[in-house]
Amino acid sequence: MNIYQWVGAVLSVSMSLASQAADVVQRGSGAWRTQVSSADNPVPAAPFRTPAMLERAAPTNQWYSSVMFTRWSEVLHAVPLTAKASAKGLEVGFPQKTVVPTERKDVEILYPHKADVTLRPLGFQPTAALLAGHSDWAVDIAFELEKSSMVTTLAHGSPFVYAQLSQGDLSLDLATSLTGRLWPADPRVLLLSDAIKTYAAFAPTGAQWVQAGPSWHLRLPADRRYASLAILPNDQDSTIREFLAQAYSHIVETRAEYRVDRQKSEVITSFKVKTRTMEGPEGTGMVGLYPHHWHQNSALPPKSVGSLGSIRGDIRLFASSSFETRYRHTGFVPQWPGVQDAVQSKAILGNLSKEARRARRMMLEIGQGPYWQGKGLQRISQLMGVADAEGDVKTRDELLSLVKGRFEEWLSGQSKRTYFHYSPTLGTVVSYPEEYDAVKDMNDHHFHYGYWIRAAADIGLRDPQWIKPERWGGMIDLLVADIATAERGRKDFPYLRNFDPYEGHSWASGVALSPDGNNQESSSEAINAWAGLMLWGALQGRPELVELGTYLYATEIQAINHYWFDIHGLTLPKEYQNVEVSMLFGGKLAHNTWWIDEPRQIHGINLLPLSASSTYLAESPAFVHKNMAALDNEIKIYEGRGKRAKPHDIWQDLFAKYVALVDPAKGRARWDEWGSVELGDTRTHAQHWLAFLEGTGAPDLGVTADTHFYAVFKHANKGKTYLVFNPDPQARTVRFSDGVSVQAAPGKLTVQR
């Protein structure tokens, strides 16, 4: 029985026992509550699902999630197309870039939805649009009236939208800018174009196109009630023929399957589309690859059929039902060892002593809910790691006891104020007191629970008994299942709640009720969650969880480097004045935060929390320096608007640590030992970070190893330092790609200089 089956079984048994202990359901030493306190929000209902979908956990936090929460969906950014379910039918658009100036003296880039073509059933008037099916990057939306329906399918990257009707004919209602004409080479094909774009609509054999004012009606044969619509890269006859060859192969399922090649330290993902050919020769299908799919990919499908511009950059189209990506896994270790310099070590221990005395207050300085408590737990568990590394066992044990005590207060289920609740309404674990609409809108679960999982793993490194399922580990497993269930179609939890396998990154909003689509701000907090998942799996002896975490960690890093940081120069439009995106939406790129437009917080939100798993940020030293130069300029603009940060040097520790990843000396120069400290960090951890990198040099991400948990650092004068964390009970030999081998001791961090 794997973890997900086990979690489901325990939930089932626990629910049956709930009545025996009021509303508290025991889970090892912890417990969750079946009822929500009267002042707390319940999870939202998601009623707009077909009966079959109501039997499965709701796929919140996806690009199409709004379909479930409102009668007519918000805009769905399938990229390169947009769509919206309306009372008339499915609106389809090919959005164009819009540049919007801001008061920050920069711009936002929007790709707003505009209905070019609306697919409208003529035989009935739908009363709602329901989620009728979903797979890894495709969604089925059913427009229904009693027993009549029109089911439409759209997918990430696909230029096609498909429709099947139970009865009646289909209308294509056109925007005023579009005109239609039949393609002379085949009367089944209707071309719809304006000065910017061309669509092709494909009718079944035996159907008839009839113009009806601004609309075109499709008279359908009784046994062939289907059609497809596609945006074309151009209107050349050869291109239309390529699309015609795929137009009748409708998407049935999409699936991204991953595996980890430990020997090469690679994550290989196979993307496969299953289609059903409605008539004519069987097609291969058509996929649209985003930049993070095609960049430096030597194994692209052979048959290219053009490209389309989009908010993610150039979408390259291929006549194929599959493709594969290979990403290097740049490893990490749970913590860095003690520093070699005796003077630096003494200074670190001095700060450690001061902060350890204030650790209880530092664990929850602002906010009362699971986000700030999670940040506080990891803040102190990282401080505990420094005490461990520097040999202060007494302080380490005091901090360990403190962190465990706070965990146990929350996990016990004894409080009606700070507690976890499982809701079968959506299939989710939520926590109270609510922060950032994490219950009302199902926001940010991976951010919040990522901190808890990582801090629990830090405990497990030092007290393996505490994290056993029969102790406190069972409750942490529940949080893992909420954000990282790896089985599709379950009733208790959805598949990878926050992660988008095709976009390659996570989404934060649970309901996605915005015309700009879903969004994610802090990409780095997502990375923190996946790193915590890897460590938790390793300490629990669950290799499948380590593999899953590795897939999520390595893939999200690729998306960050393309779409947040654009380190390859492939995705940000020339009009965008900033060097990075701090808030990425389905249809918008913004340089801001949800709470303030202060530059240091705008830049820093995609860096924190900086831990030993943050070495991926050193991938492009040139970008790091460009990013910091941009920050300095933005601070001048901000202050020129008469604004000031509070405190004036807010988050200076983050930027010192960030720069130190590529230039330890410059990082140290940015650091003010007595300056401000971000509330998920400590002065001691920052000091240890800077001193360690000064001694070892910056991360060398070009060297890989045949294990999940490793790191290499390169110093101009001292050579390389190799770190390996071996979670196994037996020693093992770890081989690095540069020819070095390290004998990794069991259950600990091994250092080889």
Side-chain angles (χ1 to χ4, degrees), residues 138-199:
V139 61
D140 298 329
I141 303 170
F143 294 80
E144 296 197 338
L145 173 66
E146 297 176 348
K147 295 183 179 181
S148 299
S149 70
M150 177 181 74
V151 178
T152 57
T153 302
L154 59 154
H156 272 329
S158 177
F160 280 96
V161 175
Y162 309 94
Q164 295 188 56
L165 290 88
S166 63
Q167 56 99 4
D169 296 329
L170 178 67
S171 178
L172 272 59
D173 300 341
L174 308 187
T176 55
S177 64
L178 288 174
T179 58
R181 63 183 176 90
L182 293 175
W183 186 42
D186 192 322
R188 295 177 300 174
V189 182
L190 175 68
L191 300 177
L192 311 168
S193 60
D194 61 19
I196 298 173
K197 54 190 170 291
T198 298
Y199 290 90

Coordinates of all heavy atoms in Angstrom, one line a residue, residues 138-199:
A138 N -5.8 19.1 -20.2 CA -7.0 19.3 -21.0 C -8.2 19.3 -20.1 O -8.2 18.7 -19.0 CB -7.1 18.2 -22.1
V139 N -9.2 20.0 -20.6 CA -10.5 20.0 -19.8 C -11.7 19.9 -20.7 O -11.7 20.4 -21.8 CB -10.5 21.4 -19.0 CG1 -10.5 22.6 -19.9 CG2 -11.7 21.4 -18.0
D140 N -12.7 19.2 -20.2 CA -14.0 19.1 -20.9 C -15.0 19.9 -20.1 O -15.2 19.8 -18.9 CB -14.5 17.6 -20.9 CG -13.5 16.7 -21.6 OD1 -12.9 17.2 -22.6 OD2 -13.4 15.5 -21.3
I141 N -15.7 20.8 -20.9 CA -16.8 21.6 -20.3 C -18.1 21.3 -21.0 O -18.2 21.3 -22.2 CB -16.4 23.1 -20.5 CG1 -15.1 23.4 -19.9 CG2 -17.5 24.0 -19.9 CD1 -14.6 24.8 -20.3
A142 N -19.1 20.9 -20.2 CA -20.4 20.5 -20.7 C -21.4 21.6 -20.5 O -21.6 22.1 -19.4 CB -20.9 19.3 -20.0
F143 N -22.0 22.1 -21.6 CA -23.1 23.0 -21.6 C -24.4 22.2 -21.7 O -24.6 21.5 -22.6 CB -23.0 24.0 -22.8 CG -21.8 24.9 -22.8 CD1 -20.6 24.4 -23.2 CD2 -21.9 26.2 -22.4 CE1 -19.4 25.2 -23.2 CE2 -20.8 27.0 -22.3 CZ -19.5 26.5 -22.7
E144 N -25.2 22.3 -20.6 CA -26.3 21.4 -20.5 C -27.6 22.0 -20.2 O -27.8 23.1 -19.7 CB -26.0 20.4 -19.3 CG -24.7 19.6 -19.5 CD -24.7 18.4 -18.5 OE1 -25.4 18.5 -17.5 OE2 -24.0 17.4 -18.8
L145 N -28.6 21.3 -20.7 CA -30.1 21.6 -20.4 C -30.7 20.2 -20.4 O -30.9 19.5 -21.4 CB -30.7 22.4 -21.5 CG -32.2 22.6 -21.3 CD1 -32.6 23.4 -20.1 CD2 -32.8 23.3 -22.6
E146 N -31.1 19.8 -19.2 CA -31.7 18.5 -19.0 C -30.9 17.4 -19.6 O -29.7 17.2 -19.3 CB -33.1 18.5 -19.4 CG -34.0 19.5 -18.7 CD -35.4 19.6 -19.2 OE1 -35.7 19.1 -20.3 OE2 -36.2 20.2 -18.5
K147 N -31.4 16.7 -20.7 CA -30.6 15.7 -21.3 C -29.9 16.1 -22.6 O -29.2 15.3 -23.2 CB -31.6 14.5 -21.7 CG -32.2 13.8 -20.5 CD -33.1 12.7 -20.9 CE -33.7 12.0 -19.7 NZ -34.5 10.8 -20.1
S148 N -29.9 17.4 -22.9 CA -29.2 17.9 -24.0 C -27.8 18.5 -23.5 O -27.7 19.1 -22.5 CB -30.0 19.0 -24.7 OG -31.2 18.5 -25.2
S149 N -26.8 18.3 -24.4 CA -25.5 18.8 -24.0 C -24.6 19.1 -25.2 O -24.8 18.6 -26.3 CB -24.8 17.8 -23.1 OG -24.4 16.7 -23.8
M150 N -23.7 20.1 -25.0 CA -22.6 20.3 -25.9 C -21.3 20.2 -25.0 O -21.2 21.0 -24.1 CB -22.7 21.7 -26.6 CG -21.5 22.0 -27.5 SD -21.5 23.6 -28.2 CE -21.2 24.7 -26.8
V151 N -20.5 19.3 -25.3 CA -19.2 19.1 -24.6 C -18.1 19.7 -25.4 O -17.9 19.2 -26.5 CB -19.0 17.6 -24.2 CG1 -17.7 17.5 -23.5 CG2 -20.2 17.1 -23.4
T152 N -17.4 20.6 -24.8 CA -16.2 21.2 -25.5 C -15.0 20.8 -24.8 O -14.9 20.7 -23.6 CB -16.4 22.8 -25.5 OG1 -16.5 23.2 -24.1 CG2 -17.6 23.2 -26.3
T153 N -13.9 20.7 -25.6 CA -12.6 20.3 -25.0 C -11.5 21.3 -25.5 O -11.5 21.6 -26.7 CB -12.2 18.9 -25.5 OG1 -13.2 18.0 -25.1 CG2 -10.9 18.5 -24.9
L154 N -10.7 21.8 -24.5 CA -9.6 22.6 -24.9 C -8.4 22.2 -24.0 O -8.6 21.6 -22.9 CB -9.9 24.1 -24.7 CG -10.3 24.6 -23.4 CD1 -10.0 26.1 -23.3 CD2 -11.9 24.5 -23.3
A155 N -7.2 22.5 -24.4 CA -6.0 22.1 -23.7 C -4.9 23.1 -23.9 O -4.8 23.9 -24.8 CB -5.5 20.7 -24.3
H156 N -4.0 23.1 -22.9 CA -2.8 23.9 -22.9 C -2.0 23.6 -24.2 O -1.9 22.4 -24.6 CB -1.9 23.6 -21.8 CG -2.1 24.4 -20.5 ND1 -2.6 25.6 -20.5 CD2 -1.9 24.0 -19.2 CE1 -2.7 26.1 -19.3 NE2 -2.3 25.1 -18.4
G157 N -1.6 24.6 -24.9 CA -0.7 24.5 -26.0 C -1.4 24.1 -27.3 O -0.8 24.2 -28.4
S158 N -2.6 23.6 -27.2 CA -3.3 23.1 -28.4 C -3.9 24.3 -29.2 O -4.6 25.2 -28.6 CB -4.4 22.1 -28.0 OG -5.1 21.8 -29.2
P159 N -3.8 24.4 -30.5 CA -4.5 25.4 -31.3 C -5.9 25.0 -31.5 O -6.7 25.8 -32.1 CB -3.7 25.4 -32.6 CG -3.2 24.0 -32.7 CD -2.9 23.5 -31.3
F160 N -6.4 23.8 -31.1 CA -7.7 23.3 -31.4 C -8.6 23.5 -30.2 O -8.2 23.3 -29.0 CB -7.7 21.8 -31.8 CG -7.2 21.6 -33.2 CD1 -5.9 21.3 -33.5 CD2 -8.2 21.6 -34.2 CE1 -5.5 21.0 -34.8 CE2 -7.8 21.3 -35.5 CZ -6.5 21.0 -35.8
V161 N -9.9 23.7 -30.5 CA -11.0 23.5 -29.6 C -12.0 22.5 -30.2 O -12.3 22.6 -31.4 CB -11.7 24.8 -29.2 CG1 -12.9 24.6 -28.4 CG2 -10.7 25.8 -28.6
Y162 N -12.5 21.6 -29.5 CA -13.4 20.5 -30.0 C -14.8 20.6 -29.4 O -14.9 21.1 -28.2 CB -12.8 19.1 -29.7 CG -11.4 19.0 -30.2 CD1 -10.4 19.2 -29.2 CD2 -11.0 18.6 -31.5 CE1 -9.0 19.0 -29.6 CE2 -9.7 18.5 -31.8 CZ -8.7 18.7 -30.9 OH -7.4 18.6 -31.3
A163 N -15.8 20.2 -30.2 CA -17.2 20.3 -29.6 C -17.9 19.0 -30.1 O -17.7 18.6 -31.3 CB -17.9 21.5 -30.1
Q164 N -18.7 18.5 -29.2 CA -19.6 17.4 -29.6 C -21.0 17.7 -29.0 O -21.1 18.1 -27.8 CB -19.1 16.0 -29.0 CG -17.8 15.6 -29.6 CD -17.4 14.2 -29.2 OE1 -18.2 13.2 -29.4 NE2 -16.2 14.0 -28.6
L165 N -22.0 17.5 -29.8 CA -23.4 17.8 -29.4 C -24.2 16.6 -29.3 O -24.1 15.7 -30.2 CB -24.0 18.8 -30.4 CG -23.5 20.2 -30.4 CD1 -22.3 20.4 -31.3 CD2 -24.5 21.3 -30.7
S166 N -25.1 16.5 -28.4 CA -26.0 15.4 -28.3 C -27.2 15.5 -29.3 O -27.7 14.5 -29.7 CB -26.6 15.3 -26.8 OG -27.4 16.5 -26.6
Q167 N -27.6 16.7 -29.6 CA -28.6 16.9 -30.6 C -28.6 18.4 -31.1 O -27.9 19.2 -30.5 CB -30.0 16.7 -30.0 CG -30.3 17.5 -28.7 CD -31.2 18.7 -29.0 OE1 -31.6 18.9 -30.1 NE2 -31.4 19.5 -28.0
G168 N -29.2 18.6 -32.3 CA -29.2 19.9 -32.9 C -28.0 20.3 -33.6 O -27.0 19.6 -33.7
D169 N -28.0 21.5 -34.1 CA -26.9 22.1 -34.9 C -26.1 23.0 -34.1 O -26.4 23.3 -32.9 CB -27.5 22.8 -36.2 CG -28.2 21.8 -37.1 OD1 -27.8 20.7 -37.2 OD2 -29.2 22.3 -37.7
L170 N -25.0 23.6 -34.7 CA -24.1 24.4 -34.1 C -23.9 25.7 -34.8 O -23.9 25.8 -36.0 CB -22.7 23.7 -34.0 CG -21.5 24.5 -33.4 CD1 -21.8 24.6 -31.9 CD2 -20.2 23.7 -33.7
S171 N -23.9 26.8 -34.0 CA -23.6 28.1 -34.6 C -22.3 28.6 -34.2 O -21.8 28.4 -33.0 CB -24.7 29.1 -34.1 OG -24.4 30.4 -34.7
L172 N -21.6 29.2 -35.1 CA -20.3 30.0 -34.8 C -20.6 31.4 -34.9 O -20.8 32.0 -36.0 CB -19.2 29.6 -35.8 CG -18.3 28.4 -35.4 CD1 -19.2 27.1 -35.3 CD2 -17.2 28.1 -36.5
D173 N -20.7 32.1 -33.8 CA -21.0 33.5 -33.7 C -19.7 34.3 -33.8 O -18.8 34.1 -32.9 CB -21.8 33.9 -32.5 CG -23.1 33.1 -32.4 OD1 -23.6 32.7 -33.4 OD2 -23.7 33.0 -31.3
L174 N -19.6 35.2 -34.7 CA -18.3 35.8 -35.0 C -18.2 37.2 -34.4 O -19.3 38.0 -34.4 CB -18.0 35.9 -36.5 CG -18.1 34.6 -37.3 CD1 -17.6 34.8 -38.7 CD2 -17.3 33.5 -36.7
A175 N -17.1 37.6 -34.0 CA -16.8 39.0 -33.6 C -16.9 39.9 -34.9 O -16.8 39.4 -36.0 CB -15.4 39.2 -33.0
T176 N -17.3 41.1 -34.7 CA -17.5 42.0 -35.9 C -16.3 42.1 -36.8 O -16.4 42.4 -38.0 CB -17.9 43.4 -35.5 OG1 -17.0 43.9 -34.6 CG2 -19.3 43.3 -34.7
S177 N -15.1 41.9 -36.3 CA -13.9 42.0 -37.1 C -13.6 40.8 -38.0 O -12.9 40.9 -39.0 CB -12.7 42.2 -36.2 OG -12.5 41.0 -35.4
L178 N -14.3 39.7 -37.7 CA -14.0 38.5 -38.5 C -15.0 38.3 -39.6 O -16.2 38.7 -39.5 CB -14.1 37.3 -37.6 CG -13.0 37.0 -36.5 CD1 -13.4 35.9 -35.6 CD2 -11.7 36.8 -37.2
T179 N -14.5 37.8 -40.7 CA -15.3 37.4 -41.8 C -15.0 36.0 -42.2 O -13.9 35.5 -41.9 CB -15.1 38.3 -43.1 OG1 -13.7 38.2 -43.4 CG2 -15.4 39.7 -42.8
G180 N -16.0 35.3 -42.8 CA -15.9 33.9 -43.1 C -15.9 33.6 -44.6 O -16.6 34.3 -45.3
R181 N -15.2 32.6 -45.0 CA -15.3 32.1 -46.3 C -15.0 30.6 -46.4 O -14.2 30.1 -45.6 CB -14.3 32.8 -47.2 CG -12.8 32.7 -46.8 CD -11.9 33.5 -47.7 NE -10.5 33.4 -47.3 CZ -9.7 32.4 -47.7 NH1 -10.1 31.6 -48.7 NH2 -8.4 32.4 -47.3
L182 N -15.6 29.9 -47.3 CA -15.3 28.5 -47.4 C -14.0 28.3 -48.1 O -13.7 29.0 -49.1 CB -16.5 27.8 -48.2 CG -17.8 27.7 -47.4 CD1 -18.9 27.1 -48.4 CD2 -17.7 26.9 -46.2
W183 N -13.3 27.3 -47.7 CA -12.0 27.0 -48.4 C -12.3 26.2 -49.7 O -13.0 25.2 -49.6 CB -11.1 26.1 -47.4 CG -9.7 25.9 -47.9 CD1 -8.9 26.8 -48.5 CD2 -9.0 24.6 -47.8 NE1 -7.7 26.2 -48.7 CE2 -7.7 24.9 -48.3 CE3 -9.3 23.4 -47.3 CZ2 -6.7 23.9 -48.4 CZ3 -8.4 22.4 -47.3 CH2 -7.1 22.6 -47.8
P184 N -11.8 26.7 -50.8 CA -12.2 26.1 -52.1 C -11.7 24.6 -52.2 O -12.4 23.8 -52.9 CB -11.4 26.9 -53.1 CG -11.2 28.3 -52.4 CD -11.0 27.9 -51.0
A185 N -10.7 24.2 -51.5 CA -10.1 22.9 -51.6 C -11.0 21.8 -50.9 O -10.9 20.6 -51.1 CB -8.7 22.8 -51.1
D186 N -11.8 22.3 -49.9 CA -12.6 21.3 -49.1 C -13.8 22.0 -48.5 O -13.6 22.9 -47.6 CB -11.7 20.6 -48.1 CG -12.4 19.4 -47.4 OD1 -13.7 19.5 -47.2 OD2 -11.7 18.4 -47.1
P187 N -15.0 21.7 -48.9 CA -16.2 22.5 -48.3 C -16.4 22.3 -46.8 O -17.3 23.0 -46.3 CB -17.3 22.0 -49.2 CG -16.9 20.6 -49.6 CD -15.4 20.7 -49.8
R188 N -15.8 21.3 -46.2 CA -15.9 21.1 -44.8 C -15.2 22.2 -44.0 O -15.5 22.4 -42.8 CB -15.3 19.8 -44.4 CG -16.0 18.6 -45.0 CD -15.3 17.3 -44.6 NE -14.0 17.2 -45.0 CZ -13.1 16.3 -44.7 NH1 -13.4 15.3 -43.9 NH2 -11.8 16.3 -45.2
V189 N -14.3 22.9 -44.6 CA -13.4 23.9 -43.9 C -13.9 25.3 -44.1 O -14.1 25.8 -45.3 CB -12.0 23.8 -44.4 CG1 -11.1 24.7 -43.6 CG2 -11.5 22.3 -44.2
L190 N -14.2 26.0 -43.0 CA -14.6 27.4 -43.0 C -13.5 28.2 -42.4 O -13.0 28.0 -41.3 CB -15.9 27.6 -42.2 CG -16.4 29.0 -42.0 CD1 -16.9 29.6 -43.3 CD2 -17.5 29.1 -40.9
L191 N -13.0 29.2 -43.2 CA -11.9 30.1 -42.7 C -12.5 31.4 -42.2 O -13.3 32.0 -42.9 CB -10.9 30.4 -43.9 CG -10.3 29.1 -44.5 CD1 -9.4 29.6 -45.7 CD2 -9.4 28.4 -43.5
L192 N -12.0 31.8 -41.0 CA -12.5 33.0 -40.3 C -11.3 33.9 -40.1 O -10.4 33.4 -39.4 CB -13.2 32.6 -39.0 CG -14.3 31.5 -39.1 CD1 -14.7 31.0 -37.7 CD2 -15.5 32.0 -39.9
S193 N -11.3 35.1 -40.6 CA -10.1 35.9 -40.5 C -10.4 37.3 -40.3 O -11.5 37.8 -40.7 CB -9.2 35.6 -41.7 OG -9.9 36.0 -42.9
D194 N -9.4 38.0 -39.8 CA -9.3 39.5 -39.8 C -7.9 39.9 -40.1 O -7.1 39.1 -40.6 CB -9.8 40.1 -38.5 CG -9.0 39.7 -37.3 OD1 -7.8 39.2 -37.4 OD2 -9.5 39.8 -36.1
A195 N -7.5 41.1 -39.9 CA -6.2 41.6 -40.3 C -5.1 41.0 -39.5 O -3.9 41.0 -39.9 CB -6.2 43.1 -40.1
I196 N -5.4 40.3 -38.3 CA -4.4 39.8 -37.4 C -4.3 38.3 -37.4 O -3.2 37.7 -37.4 CB -4.6 40.3 -36.0 CG1 -4.6 41.8 -35.9 CG2 -3.7 39.7 -35.0 CD1 -5.0 42.4 -34.6
K197 N -5.4 37.6 -37.6 CA -5.5 36.2 -37.3 C -6.4 35.5 -38.2 O -7.3 36.1 -38.8 CB -5.8 35.9 -35.9 CG -7.1 36.6 -35.4 CD -7.4 36.5 -33.9 CE -8.5 37.3 -33.5 NZ -8.3 38.8 -33.6
T198 N -6.2 34.1 -38.3 CA -7.1 33.3 -39.1 C -7.4 32.0 -38.3 O -6.5 31.4 -37.8 CB -6.4 32.9 -40.4 OG1 -6.2 34.0 -41.2 CG2 -7.3 31.9 -41.2
Y199 N -8.7 31.7 -38.2 CA -9.2 30.5 -37.7 C -9.6 29.6 -38.8 O -10.0 30.1 -39.9 CB -10.4 30.7 -36.7 CG -10.1 31.4 -35.4 CD1 -10.2 32.8 -35.3 CD2 -9.8 30.6 -34.3 CE1 -10.0 33.4 -34.1 CE2 -9.6 31.3 -33.1 CZ -9.7 32.6 -33.0 OH -9.5 33.3 -31.8

